[in-house]
Amino acid sequence: MKKVFQLQDLDCANCAAKMERAVAKIDGVREVNVSFLAQRMSIDADEARFEAIMDQVVKTCKKVEPDCTIVR
Amino acid sequence: MKKTSLSRREQRTLIRILVSLALFLIVFLTDKIMPGGLGGVFDGAAAWVFPFCLYLIIYLLIGYDVLWRAVRNIAHGQVFDENFLMCVATLGAFALAIYRGTTGQEIEGFDEACAVLLFYQIGEFFQRYATGKSRKSIAALMDIRPDYAFVRRGSEVKKTDPAEVQVGELIVVGPGEKIPLDGIIVRGTSTLDTKALTGESLPRDVSEGDEVISGCVNLTSQIEVRTEKAFYDSTVSKILELVENAAEQKSKAENFITRFARYYTPAVCGIALLLAVVPGLITADWPTWIYRALSFLVVSCPCALVISIPLSFFAGIGAASRYGILVKGSNYLEKFNQANVFVFDKTGTLTRGNFAVTCVAPADRREEILRLAAIAEQGSSHPIARSIVACYGRPAEEGYLLTNIAGEGVRAERDGDVILCGNEKLMAQNGIDVVRETGIGTIIYVAHNGRFVGSLLIADELKPEAKEVIGALSGMNCKTVMLTGDNEAVAENVAGQLGVSEYRASLLPQDKVTQLEDLLARKQPSDAVCFVGDGINDAPVLMRSDIGIAMGGMGSDAAIEASDIVLMKDDLRGIPLAKRIAKKTMAIVRQNIVFSIAVKAAILILSAFGIANMWIAVFGDVGVAVLAILNAMRVNSRYKGAAEQETTTK
């Protein structure tokens, strides 16, 4: 299942790339794309575990870029 | 810079920067002007403490958030974090200055540490401002999203979410409102503003029975529309989806730069460490080499590199969308720049796809020929007859008895006045000598009272801009190929008129894919084959080509889905324009990559040899970023010739 999330206060382009790399490593995430300019993250992940994966994603992003919040 | 366009957060940052800058200048100038400097205020070994405290206050004022983020990110294991690197560099500079102070050397270096962070913040602020601005230009496109719909259910009109409106329901759109769903006008006449969708500034008149597209703004009066599509299938949803996903398809250039940044920062930091330790051990001149290493850390920040490339693409996509050209992603813009084979579908793309009178002979009797032909043809609904009536443009004289002679033409008679209008056979039957015409298309001869008057040539009309566009593409060293189902003679004629380099005639619809594959197989790896179609029945070809361009995307959601670039306006001039935008975008992308890396490399080398100081190093970070952003914004400049297109075409 693919879903797009709005990102708030994503301030630096390199952080977007870092978030993308970090999220891609999460188990169950098939594809992830963070667009700095559109302030969006699109995630393709295992549908059955989507919510659990998203929790993981939010946690990872908090670590990489604490200022940025994912609007769920 | 207008204050009103800044968010509260940005305003606060701006005030903080201005206050710090003012304080910094006061302290800095006092230090320079005062005899002996600020260090001379107090005597003794602790003389450095006074200037240190003043600068430290400013440093904390401007940099407290950077310090905080650095601490927090380090706790999260983010070693090569920009904030952290800046903090290490500036705090290191402070430490060196204190070292100098305590060892009784000249008191200096506090201003530098403070200034680096100040400039860093100014640069960051400008970066945020610039990206926010270009984001807004794209967001303007999002303005087309309708927030509500007024649905007529029975006698009442209810305000609802557009997504809840069913197909076939009646919606009421007042003046000044956006049309929320695609549909057909059942009541009312109005004028629509389609600018947000097509870049076309001329309003469009619509009346009952006309199709209206969601996203247009109703300008003059209230209309009632029967919806034809659900919200999620409506044009506006399709376009929004496309625009929102545009930034997702990353180009090779973007991937290159993010990958580069990934290794760049650790590499530069590693070199900085070596630079501090190795020569330090050899020469024992620790402060000098540590200072040079700290300059390295300032230059090692990756954001300047990473931001300018996607921003350039974003600006390119935004610029194109202003002219009603939707590009689905930066990778397509990148590829489109390489496109050098343009394959056109003839009918509906190069031609209007309808019949029109293209030639009247002899020309000096044009009016009379058309008048007579219109009288004869007014009763028929055949496309050819309709094109004659349309060409005449006025109501034809009535009162004639019209007799249709199957396979030959029409005979019109009133009080002994006889008009014959039809093919050569009809003329021969009535013993009339004609001046034979040999044009491509259908030839209609007109005779009045047994005397030949002239002839009309009716053909599928070429789009007025087609020739110009083919010429423009050839001028860009592109090959143009026309595909058509017409026979050889018609194809050759049209190809000749337009000046296309190749044509393939007598194709069945399914042959188009084969033809395209043939072209794809013959191309060089660096080439790209572009297919331009109207989106009707050519979705497979659009998908198979390197770049599929759909014309007149308004209303054809299948075309929007299958293609990579959509021309919202049915105007071929969008193609060379898009090519120019793509070319300019790619040029700027290349400039930015080369410029950023070259400047950074140069500053690194200079600081390693002690020629450049930390002031220059900070320019290497934020200065480069700002220049690259300004350069990226050039993509969005007006395109010559395109401005006229906005106003002259209807």
Side-chain angles (χ1 to χ4, degrees), chain B residues 271-304:
Chain B
I271 297 172
L273 192 66
L274 285 177
L275 197 64
V277 174
V278 177
L281 280 175
I282 297 168
T283 62
D285 183 11
W286 288 96
T288 308
W289 291 104
I290 289 178
Y291 178 81
R292 290 180 190 180
L294 293 176
S295 304
F296 260 56
L297 289 187
V298 175
V299 189
S300 75
C301 294
C303 260

mmCIF file of all heavy atoms in Angstrom, chain B residues 271-304:
data_model
loop_
_atom_site.group_PDB
_atom_site.id
_atom_site.type_symbol
_atom_site.label_atom_id
_atom_site.label_comp_id
_atom_site.label_asym_id
_atom_site.label_seq_id
_atom_site.Cartn_x
_atom_site.Cartn_y
_atom_site.Cartn_z
ATOM 1 N N ILE B 271 39.491 14.572 6.394
ATOM 2 C CA ILE B 271 40.674 15.335 5.984
ATOM 3 C C ILE B 271 40.968 16.411 7.024
ATOM 4 O O ILE B 271 42.127 16.666 7.360
ATOM 5 C CB ILE B 271 40.457 15.976 4.593
ATOM 6 C CG1 ILE B 271 40.263 14.873 3.545
ATOM 7 C CG2 ILE B 271 41.651 16.839 4.200
ATOM 8 C CD1 ILE B 271 39.846 15.378 2.193
ATOM 9 N N ALA B 272 39.907 17.034 7.560
ATOM 10 C CA ALA B 272 40.083 18.085 8.564
ATOM 11 C C ALA B 272 40.840 17.535 9.765
ATOM 12 O O ALA B 272 41.763 18.164 10.284
ATOM 13 C CB ALA B 272 38.737 18.644 8.985
ATOM 14 N N LEU B 273 40.474 16.337 10.171
ATOM 15 C CA LEU B 273 41.117 15.714 11.326
ATOM 16 C C LEU B 273 42.605 15.472 11.046
ATOM 17 O O LEU B 273 43.466 15.795 11.853
ATOM 18 C CB LEU B 273 40.406 14.401 11.656
ATOM 19 C CG LEU B 273 40.769 13.776 12.985
ATOM 20 C CD1 LEU B 273 40.288 14.662 14.132
ATOM 21 C CD2 LEU B 273 40.149 12.389 13.111
ATOM 22 N N LEU B 274 42.837 14.917 9.836
ATOM 23 C CA LEU B 274 44.222 14.662 9.441
ATOM 24 C C LEU B 274 45.013 15.965 9.410
ATOM 25 O O LEU B 274 46.158 16.030 9.854
ATOM 26 C CB LEU B 274 44.254 14.012 8.055
ATOM 27 C CG LEU B 274 43.846 12.549 7.978
ATOM 28 C CD1 LEU B 274 43.865 12.066 6.541
ATOM 29 C CD2 LEU B 274 44.777 11.699 8.835
ATOM 30 N N LEU B 275 44.355 16.997 8.874
ATOM 31 C CA LEU B 275 45.004 18.298 8.718
ATOM 32 C C LEU B 275 45.385 18.888 10.072
ATOM 33 O O LEU B 275 46.396 19.569 10.206
ATOM 34 C CB LEU B 275 44.046 19.242 7.987
ATOM 35 C CG LEU B 275 44.641 20.501 7.377
ATOM 36 C CD1 LEU B 275 45.628 20.130 6.279
ATOM 37 C CD2 LEU B 275 43.536 21.383 6.820
ATOM 38 N N ALA B 276 44.573 18.622 11.065
ATOM 39 C CA ALA B 276 44.869 19.167 12.391
ATOM 40 C C ALA B 276 45.989 18.375 13.059
ATOM 41 O O ALA B 276 46.866 18.950 13.685
ATOM 42 C CB ALA B 276 43.614 19.144 13.255
ATOM 43 N N VAL B 277 45.950 17.035 12.872
ATOM 44 C CA VAL B 277 46.859 16.186 13.646
ATOM 45 C C VAL B 277 48.237 16.058 13.010
ATOM 46 O O VAL B 277 49.249 16.344 13.648
ATOM 47 C CB VAL B 277 46.228 14.786 13.860
ATOM 48 C CG1 VAL B 277 47.223 13.866 14.534
ATOM 49 C CG2 VAL B 277 44.952 14.916 14.673
ATOM 50 N N VAL B 278 48.261 15.689 11.710
ATOM 51 C CA VAL B 278 49.549 15.343 11.102
ATOM 52 C C VAL B 278 50.517 16.529 11.049
ATOM 53 O O VAL B 278 51.596 16.473 11.648
ATOM 54 C CB VAL B 278 49.334 14.692 9.714
ATOM 55 C CG1 VAL B 278 50.683 14.412 9.053
ATOM 56 C CG2 VAL B 278 48.516 13.411 9.867
ATOM 57 N N PRO B 279 50.134 17.662 10.393
ATOM 58 C CA PRO B 279 51.098 18.775 10.382
ATOM 59 C C PRO B 279 51.315 19.329 11.781
ATOM 60 O O PRO B 279 52.410 19.798 12.095
ATOM 61 C CB PRO B 279 50.424 19.830 9.495
ATOM 62 C CG PRO B 279 49.307 19.135 8.819
ATOM 63 C CD PRO B 279 48.903 18.010 9.714
ATOM 64 N N GLY B 280 50.301 19.226 12.636
ATOM 65 C CA GLY B 280 50.443 19.690 14.015
ATOM 66 C C GLY B 280 51.558 18.948 14.723
ATOM 67 O O GLY B 280 52.392 19.536 15.392
ATOM 68 N N LEU B 281 51.597 17.619 14.519
ATOM 69 C CA LEU B 281 52.632 16.810 15.148
ATOM 70 C C LEU B 281 54.003 17.158 14.597
ATOM 71 O O LEU B 281 54.993 17.211 15.330
ATOM 72 C CB LEU B 281 52.341 15.320 14.918
ATOM 73 C CG LEU B 281 51.303 14.674 15.835
ATOM 74 C CD1 LEU B 281 51.042 13.244 15.409
ATOM 75 C CD2 LEU B 281 51.786 14.720 17.285
ATOM 76 N N ILE B 282 54.024 17.402 13.283
ATOM 77 C CA ILE B 282 55.321 17.648 12.644
ATOM 78 C C ILE B 282 55.857 19.019 13.036
ATOM 79 O O ILE B 282 57.004 19.155 13.463
ATOM 80 C CB ILE B 282 55.195 17.531 11.104
ATOM 81 C CG1 ILE B 282 54.790 16.088 10.743
ATOM 82 C CG2 ILE B 282 56.487 17.922 10.399
ATOM 83 C CD1 ILE B 282 54.357 15.903 9.318
ATOM 84 N N THR B 283 54.984 20.042 12.896
ATOM 85 C CA THR B 283 55.487 21.402 13.104
ATOM 86 C C THR B 283 55.310 21.900 14.530
ATOM 87 O O THR B 283 55.887 22.906 14.899
ATOM 88 C CB THR B 283 54.752 22.389 12.179
ATOM 89 O OG1 THR B 283 53.365 22.356 12.534
ATOM 90 C CG2 THR B 283 54.905 22.027 10.716
ATOM 91 N N ALA B 284 54.462 21.220 15.261
ATOM 92 C CA ALA B 284 54.139 21.619 16.637
ATOM 93 C C ALA B 284 53.432 22.984 16.692
ATOM 94 O O ALA B 284 53.264 23.558 17.758
ATOM 95 C CB ALA B 284 55.367 21.627 17.543
ATOM 96 N N ASP B 285 53.027 23.489 15.491
ATOM 97 C CA ASP B 285 52.292 24.752 15.454
ATOM 98 C C ASP B 285 50.791 24.438 15.497
ATOM 99 O O ASP B 285 50.077 24.606 14.524
ATOM 100 C CB ASP B 285 52.655 25.510 14.164
ATOM 101 C CG ASP B 285 51.980 26.868 14.110
ATOM 102 O OD1 ASP B 285 51.409 27.301 15.133
ATOM 103 O OD2 ASP B 285 52.024 27.505 13.036
ATOM 104 N N TRP B 286 50.363 23.949 16.613
ATOM 105 C CA TRP B 286 48.993 23.457 16.712
ATOM 106 C C TRP B 286 47.917 24.489 16.348
ATOM 107 O O TRP B 286 47.017 24.171 15.563
ATOM 108 C CB TRP B 286 48.736 22.884 18.110
ATOM 109 C CG TRP B 286 49.446 21.585 18.308
ATOM 110 C CD1 TRP B 286 50.655 21.410 18.897
ATOM 111 C CD2 TRP B 286 49.010 20.304 17.877
ATOM 112 N NE1 TRP B 286 51.015 20.080 18.874
ATOM 113 C CE2 TRP B 286 50.021 19.377 18.263
ATOM 114 C CE3 TRP B 286 47.880 19.835 17.212
ATOM 115 C CZ2 TRP B 286 49.919 18.027 17.994
ATOM 116 C CZ3 TRP B 286 47.772 18.473 16.953
ATOM 117 C CH2 TRP B 286 48.801 17.585 17.336
ATOM 118 N N PRO B 287 47.943 25.703 16.881
ATOM 119 C CA PRO B 287 46.832 26.626 16.599
ATOM 120 C C PRO B 287 46.592 26.843 15.106
ATOM 121 O O PRO B 287 45.447 26.824 14.655
ATOM 122 C CB PRO B 287 47.281 27.928 17.286
ATOM 123 C CG PRO B 287 48.233 27.496 18.334
ATOM 124 C CD PRO B 287 48.931 26.285 17.797
ATOM 125 N N THR B 288 47.659 27.033 14.343
ATOM 126 C CA THR B 288 47.498 27.278 12.904
ATOM 127 C C THR B 288 46.750 26.133 12.225
ATOM 128 O O THR B 288 45.806 26.337 11.476
ATOM 129 C CB THR B 288 48.884 27.436 12.247
ATOM 130 O OG1 THR B 288 49.600 28.406 12.994
ATOM 131 C CG2 THR B 288 48.757 27.867 10.799
ATOM 132 N N TRP B 289 47.196 24.918 12.511
ATOM 133 C CA TRP B 289 46.619 23.767 11.798
ATOM 134 C C TRP B 289 45.219 23.436 12.301
ATOM 135 O O TRP B 289 44.366 23.018 11.527
ATOM 136 C CB TRP B 289 47.554 22.558 11.893
ATOM 137 C CG TRP B 289 48.789 22.822 11.087
ATOM 138 C CD1 TRP B 289 50.011 23.154 11.561
ATOM 139 C CD2 TRP B 289 48.883 22.843 9.658
ATOM 140 N NE1 TRP B 289 50.878 23.390 10.522
ATOM 141 C CE2 TRP B 289 50.224 23.205 9.333
ATOM 142 C CE3 TRP B 289 47.978 22.608 8.616
ATOM 143 C CZ2 TRP B 289 50.657 23.321 8.024
ATOM 144 C CZ3 TRP B 289 48.428 22.716 7.301
ATOM 145 C CH2 TRP B 289 49.750 23.075 7.022
ATOM 146 N N ILE B 290 44.985 23.664 13.564
ATOM 147 C CA ILE B 290 43.625 23.432 14.057
ATOM 148 C C ILE B 290 42.672 24.443 13.420
ATOM 149 O O ILE B 290 41.575 24.116 12.983
ATOM 150 C CB ILE B 290 43.586 23.531 15.595
ATOM 151 C CG1 ILE B 290 44.296 22.301 16.181
ATOM 152 C CG2 ILE B 290 42.147 23.595 16.123
ATOM 153 C CD1 ILE B 290 44.371 22.288 17.680
ATOM 154 N N TYR B 291 43.154 25.685 13.304
ATOM 155 C CA TYR B 291 42.342 26.715 12.671
ATOM 156 C C TYR B 291 41.984 26.323 11.232
ATOM 157 O O TYR B 291 40.842 26.432 10.801
ATOM 158 C CB TYR B 291 43.108 28.042 12.687
ATOM 159 C CG TYR B 291 42.379 29.165 12.004
ATOM 160 C CD1 TYR B 291 41.379 29.858 12.668
ATOM 161 C CD2 TYR B 291 42.677 29.529 10.688
ATOM 162 C CE1 TYR B 291 40.705 30.888 12.049
ATOM 163 C CE2 TYR B 291 42.009 30.553 10.061
ATOM 164 C CZ TYR B 291 41.020 31.236 10.737
ATOM 165 O OH TYR B 291 40.344 32.236 10.130
ATOM 166 N N ARG B 292 42.977 25.836 10.507
ATOM 167 C CA ARG B 292 42.719 25.418 9.114
ATOM 168 C C ARG B 292 41.727 24.255 9.077
ATOM 169 O O ARG B 292 40.858 24.187 8.216
ATOM 170 C CB ARG B 292 44.023 25.023 8.429
ATOM 171 C CG ARG B 292 44.899 26.249 8.198
ATOM 172 C CD ARG B 292 46.192 25.913 7.532
ATOM 173 N NE ARG B 292 47.069 27.086 7.560
ATOM 174 C CZ ARG B 292 48.287 27.117 7.054
ATOM 175 N NH1 ARG B 292 48.782 26.039 6.487
ATOM 176 N NH2 ARG B 292 48.998 28.217 7.101
ATOM 177 N N ALA B 293 41.866 23.356 10.002
ATOM 178 C CA ALA B 293 40.945 22.210 10.055
ATOM 179 C C ALA B 293 39.522 22.677 10.361
ATOM 180 O O ALA B 293 38.551 22.167 9.801
ATOM 181 C CB ALA B 293 41.415 21.228 11.121
ATOM 182 N N LEU B 294 39.417 23.674 11.226
ATOM 183 C CA LEU B 294 38.084 24.190 11.560
ATOM 184 C C LEU B 294 37.432 24.827 10.328
ATOM 185 O O LEU B 294 36.233 24.673 10.104
ATOM 186 C CB LEU B 294 38.185 25.207 12.703
ATOM 187 C CG LEU B 294 38.600 24.647 14.060
ATOM 188 C CD1 LEU B 294 38.746 25.763 15.073
ATOM 189 C CD2 LEU B 294 37.589 23.617 14.555
ATOM 190 N N SER B 295 38.231 25.513 9.525
ATOM 191 C CA SER B 295 37.704 26.074 8.274
ATOM 192 C C SER B 295 37.143 24.966 7.397
ATOM 193 O O SER B 295 36.107 25.117 6.739
ATOM 194 C CB SER B 295 38.797 26.806 7.504
ATOM 195 O OG SER B 295 39.363 27.789 8.311
ATOM 196 N N PHE B 296 37.831 23.835 7.403
ATOM 197 C CA PHE B 296 37.361 22.684 6.634
ATOM 198 C C PHE B 296 35.966 22.260 7.076
ATOM 199 O O PHE B 296 35.109 21.946 6.265
ATOM 200 C CB PHE B 296 38.330 21.500 6.812
ATOM 201 C CG PHE B 296 39.277 21.340 5.679
ATOM 202 C CD1 PHE B 296 40.086 22.416 5.309
ATOM 203 C CD2 PHE B 296 39.352 20.152 4.976
ATOM 204 C CE1 PHE B 296 40.966 22.282 4.251
ATOM 205 C CE2 PHE B 296 40.225 20.014 3.919
ATOM 206 C CZ PHE B 296 41.039 21.070 3.553
ATOM 207 N N LEU B 297 35.793 22.239 8.383
ATOM 208 C CA LEU B 297 34.497 21.803 8.902
ATOM 209 C C LEU B 297 33.376 22.718 8.407
ATOM 210 O O LEU B 297 32.286 22.273 8.087
ATOM 211 C CB LEU B 297 34.504 21.798 10.429
ATOM 212 C CG LEU B 297 35.341 20.724 11.101
ATOM 213 C CD1 LEU B 297 35.100 20.745 12.600
ATOM 214 C CD2 LEU B 297 35.026 19.343 10.539
ATOM 215 N N VAL B 298 33.675 24.034 8.356
ATOM 216 C CA VAL B 298 32.657 24.976 7.878
ATOM 217 C C VAL B 298 32.288 24.660 6.431
ATOM 218 O O VAL B 298 31.124 24.646 6.060
ATOM 219 C CB VAL B 298 33.164 26.434 8.016
ATOM 220 C CG1 VAL B 298 32.170 27.403 7.406
ATOM 221 C CG2 VAL B 298 33.397 26.770 9.478
ATOM 222 N N VAL B 299 33.285 24.372 5.604
ATOM 223 C CA VAL B 299 33.011 24.100 4.187
ATOM 224 C C VAL B 299 32.358 22.732 3.994
ATOM 225 O O VAL B 299 31.699 22.489 2.988
ATOM 226 C CB VAL B 299 34.321 24.188 3.357
ATOM 227 C CG1 VAL B 299 34.024 24.117 1.880
ATOM 228 C CG2 VAL B 299 35.051 25.478 3.664
ATOM 229 N N SER B 300 32.533 21.855 4.952
ATOM 230 C CA SER B 300 32.058 20.481 4.727
ATOM 231 C C SER B 300 30.541 20.333 4.778
ATOM 232 O O SER B 300 30.019 19.288 4.428
ATOM 233 C CB SER B 300 32.676 19.553 5.781
ATOM 234 O OG SER B 300 32.031 19.753 7.013
ATOM 235 N N CYS B 301 29.825 21.351 5.202
ATOM 236 C CA CYS B 301 28.367 21.236 5.289
ATOM 237 C C CYS B 301 27.753 20.972 3.918
ATOM 238 O O CYS B 301 28.077 21.654 2.955
ATOM 239 C CB CYS B 301 27.781 22.508 5.885
ATOM 240 S SG CYS B 301 28.298 22.705 7.575
ATOM 241 N N PRO B 302 26.887 19.992 3.835
ATOM 242 C CA PRO B 302 26.424 19.540 2.530
ATOM 243 C C PRO B 302 25.184 20.248 1.967
ATOM 244 O O PRO B 302 24.885 20.131 0.801
ATOM 245 C CB PRO B 302 26.094 18.073 2.791
ATOM 246 C CG PRO B 302 25.660 18.055 4.220
ATOM 247 C CD PRO B 302 26.399 19.154 4.918
ATOM 248 N N CYS B 303 24.467 20.974 2.818
ATOM 249 C CA CYS B 303 23.153 21.451 2.375
ATOM 250 C C CYS B 303 23.206 22.319 1.129
ATOM 251 O O CYS B 303 22.356 22.227 0.261
ATOM 252 C CB CYS B 303 22.444 22.199 3.495
ATOM 253 S SG CYS B 303 21.240 21.130 4.296
ATOM 254 N N ALA B 304 24.210 23.161 1.045
ATOM 255 C CA ALA B 304 24.307 24.060 -0.100
ATOM 256 C C ALA B 304 24.279 23.281 -1.403
ATOM 257 O O ALA B 304 23.631 23.675 -2.372
ATOM 258 C CB ALA B 304 25.591 24.867 -0.008
#
